[in-house]
Amino acid sequence: MTETEIQKILDSQRDFFRSGSTLDVKGRQESLARLKKGILKYEGKIHEALETDLGKSRFESYMCETGMVLSEITYMQRH
């Protein structure tokens, strides 16, 4: 990915945030649900990438990365 492509994505994300779309609680709950679903769907690939890039075992990547994020998402969905 080029620096220009990254900047384009970043600008798009900033525009989305400035639109006020993230203020709606229902929208945030839906985003958390989509994020959780995506993490669970690609969990194996995430663990493989963490092992390849950082040398983390699947257990370590779950405990320090995906498991932590999933736990935080669940907490936020309940509260």
Side-chain angles (χ1 to χ4, degrees), residues 26 38 43 72:
K26 184 177 179 185
E43 190 172 10
E72 291 294 322

Side-chain angles (χ1 to χ4, degrees), residues 13-52:
Q13 290 298 308
R14 285 182 176 152
D15 290 342
F16 175 73
F17 181 77
R18 287 185 194 119
S19 75
S21 297
T22 60
L23 297 175
D24 177 51
V25 173
K26 184 177 179 185
R28 289 194 310 243
Q29 290 171 335
E30 290 170 357
S31 293
L32 286 172
R34 282 194 314 271
L35 177 59
K36 186 175 185 177
K37 185 177 179 181
I39 291 169
L40 292 171
K41 180 178 180 180
Y42 295 105
E43 190 172 10
K45 290 185 181 225
I46 293 169
H47 292 289
E48 286 175 23
L50 288 167
E51 184 176 13
T52 300

